[in-house]
Amino acid sequence: MSKVYILGAGASHGAGFNSYRNIKPPLLKDFFKTFAEFNYFQKYEKKVTSLSDFLNITFGWTKNALEAGNPDIEMVLDNLDSKLDEIELHYSLPEYLKKGMQCRDFKKFLIELIAEALHRTTWEGKVLHPPKCPYHESIAKYLQPGDLIINLNYDLIMDLALINHGWDWINGYALPFDYCYRNHINKWEEITARNNNQFYYLKLHGSLNWFISTDVVEERGEDTKIHSDINAKNKLHLVNPAAWYENPHLRTAQFGASYKNGNLKFFTQRLIVGPGRKGEYDILKPLWNIAEAQLKDVTQAFIVGCSLRENDQQLSSLLQNNIPWSSLENFIVVDPREEIKSRFENVFGRDVDHQLKNMEEFSDFLQNKLVVAK
């Protein structure tokens, strides 16, 4: 008897704590509005204006449209990736270097804005104090061997709840990370020991604390060479989720951009992807493969704050084709909107057993009804 929890943006938006500026973690459509609400973005004002101008010229999206959530943040990421593909395919090398670098720089800047916004909306304003959500704590508390969490969010709220209940963050993401940053040692360490957790925690779209090396340079005296071996480039780096809040340096754009390990200099970027990049980012495929295998055995499905958007066809296919919908003992949707409940029932051909309005109601359900079932 196993359960699957599928966490969308609504799960983080409904978290049970107050951020420093009382702005909730944004829904996908609210990111650009959140950017505009924070005064600290004035230090980025020139670059934010350049980003808005670029998106307007390239895709026809005005600043007002972006702040209204049309398109949302994941659609913007998907379109930037598609534009990079187009530039690589159709432009000559000099044009590719110029246009591709510009597009890549704007994408990287946008990801840093996402990281900063998610930190500011999940930080309670207390020094060295990671946020603690009682609702996510309930999910962590009642996990059993064989359970599965599919988290579509980039933030670290669920990660921190799992750590509070003994989760091994170094080995717990189901990806073979090469290096980790614990914070108190203040350097990257190579990961050598591998352990298994009793449940699966899968962040299918990446995470704020994940980095991947894009280039590796070997420096030996005056001789420098770029590694062409793809295995040397695609090294996975992992930061302790708690350290994200405890060490401000870890949240800066400079952190992780490059660092030295012996004679090797790694250039990295955050591993955050949009949902529309099907078949891309092979480094994340093991997570999708695990999800596909584990979903076949679930007996209870909880979809929390996830609306199953049209552009996330890969997720729709994953859930529709692998969860045994007809034999589920329990199908619960946490979302107040009747149209979301109807959408799931139409897509999956299965009635929803319980529709809960918010994370607080879901937490109560886990504590009262789920425990009785155990």
Side-chain angles (χ1 to χ4, degrees):
M1 183 177 184
S2 61
K3 307 179 292 294
V4 59
Y5 300 86
I6 301 157
L7 308 182
S12 296
H13 185 73
F17 55 78
N18 294 319
S19 68
Y20 177 57
R21 295 177 180 238
N22 294 318
I23 301 177
K24 291 181 174 293
L27 298 171
L28 297 177
K29 65 181 180 62
D30 294 332
F31 267 90
F32 282 92
K33 181 181 177 182
T34 301
F35 296 162
E37 288 177 341
F38 282 127
N39 292 331
Y40 69 86
F41 278 114
Q42 288 179 357
K43 67 180 181 181
Y44 297 134
E45 186 173 1
K46 186 175 180 180
K47 200 165 183 179
V48 170
T49 300
S50 297
L51 172 63
S52 297
D53 291 343
F54 174 79
L55 295 176
N56 192 5
I57 293 170
T58 307
F59 303 108
W61 302 326
T62 65
K63 183 174 182 289
N64 289 338
L66 290 167
E67 291 182 9
N70 185 26
D72 65 34
I73 194 69
E74 288 188 336
M75 291 178 67
V76 174
L77 286 173
D78 282 343
N79 277 269
L80 286 171
D81 278 330
S82 296
K83 188 65 179 178
L84 282 168
D85 292 343
E86 177 188 328
I87 292 171
E88 183 175 2
L89 185 63
H90 295 292
Y91 286 83
S92 63
L93 182 59
E95 292 174 305
Y96 166 73
L97 290 174
K98 180 180 178 182
K99 294 181 180 294
M101 187 65 71
Q102 182 189 42
C103 189
R104 191 173 289 106
D105 284 348
F106 278 128
K107 179 191 172 185
K108 188 172 183 178
F109 175 62
L110 179 59
I111 288 175
E112 293 309 317
L113 285 180
I114 292 171
E116 187 71 11
L118 288 176
H119 168 251
R120 295 282 177 156
T121 56
T122 59
W123 179 54
E124 296 181 86
K126 301 174 184 176
V127 177
L128 307 183
H129 182 74
K132 187 174 183 179
C133 171
Y135 312 141
H136 288 76
E137 293 279 331
S138 294
I139 297 174
K141 181 178 180 179
Y142 298 118
L143 282 172
Q144 295 175 296
D147 284 350
L148 172 66
I149 301 175
I150 294 178
N151 193 350
L152 307 173
N153 301 311
Y154 308 131
D155 65 63
L156 305 175
I157 301 173
M158 189 69 243
D159 311 47
L160 292 166
L162 293 172
I163 288 174
N164 291 337
H165 289 267
W167 177 63
D168 175 12
W169 62 271
I170 292 179
N171 295 285
Y173 288 106
L175 277 179
F177 283 92
D178 300 287
Y179 300 95
C180 69
Y181 196 101
R182 301 174 188 267
N183 189 33
H184 65 278
I185 297 179
N186 202 32
K187 67 176 182 178
W188 290 103
E189 300 174 78
E190 188 170 1
I191 299 174
T192 54
R194 303 289 179 184
N195 300 306
N196 293 320
N197 283 272
Q198 293 185 316
F199 58 87
Y200 291 96
Y201 181 48
L202 310 177
K203 302 189 81 170
L204 298 183
H205 296 160
S207 184
L208 289 180
N209 61 326
W210 298 1
F211 295 81
I212 184 170
S213 57
T214 55
D215 288 293
V216 180
V217 173
E218 185 174 4
E219 298 176 335
R220 293 187 180 275
E222 297 181 357
D223 297 326
T224 298
K225 68 176 182 178
I226 297 177
H227 275 259
S228 59
D229 181 1
I230 192 169
N231 292 321
K233 291 183 179 181
N234 292 340
K235 293 293 186 182
L236 287 171
H237 296 65
L238 174 64
V239 174
N240 180 353
W244 181 264
Y245 293 88
E246 296 168 354
N247 186 343
H249 171 62
L250 302 186
R251 299 188 299 272
T252 65
Q254 290 75 31
F255 173 78
S258 67
Y259 75 95
K260 292 191 69 174
N261 188 351
N263 294 323
L264 296 180
K265 185 174 184 179
F266 289 84
F267 295 85
T268 68
Q269 65 182 24
R270 294 191 201 281
L271 187 50
I272 286 178
V273 302
R277 307 299 291 171
K278 185 174 181 180
E280 196 182 3
Y281 293 99
D282 289 347
I283 204 77
L284 295 179
K285 277 188 176 180
L287 301 183
W288 291 84
N289 293 338
I290 291 171
E292 184 175 337
Q294 295 301 314
L295 285 173
K296 298 181 187 300
D297 296 326
V298 303
T299 57
Q300 300 186 73
F302 307 125
I303 301 183
V304 186
C306 173
S307 58
L308 205 64
R309 294 153 56 249
E310 291 182 3
N311 69 321
D312 205 343
Q313 297 177 359
Q314 190 176 13
L315 176 66
S316 298
S317 177
L318 175 73
L319 302 181
Q320 190 171 12
N321 296 331
N322 294 290
I323 293 179
W325 293 102
S326 60
S327 60
L328 280 186
E329 297 176 10
N330 226 347
F331 177 28
I332 293 176
V333 170
V334 183
D335 193 297
R337 296 167 292 180
E338 187 64 30
E339 63 269 24
I340 297 298
K341 172 177 174 286
S342 299
R343 180 187 301 172
F344 288 138
E345 291 179 335
N346 291 333
V347 170
F348 301 132
R350 165 60 152 92
D351 289 344
V352 171
D353 294 306
H354 300 281
Q355 182 180 16
L356 306 175
K357 293 181 181 179
N358 51 45
M359 289 290 287
E360 184 176 7
E361 285 192 8
F362 182 50
S363 178
D364 289 341
F365 175 89
L366 292 177
Q367 293 181 57
N368 298 317
K369 297 187 178 179
L370 189 66
V371 175
V372 172
K374 289 166 57 180

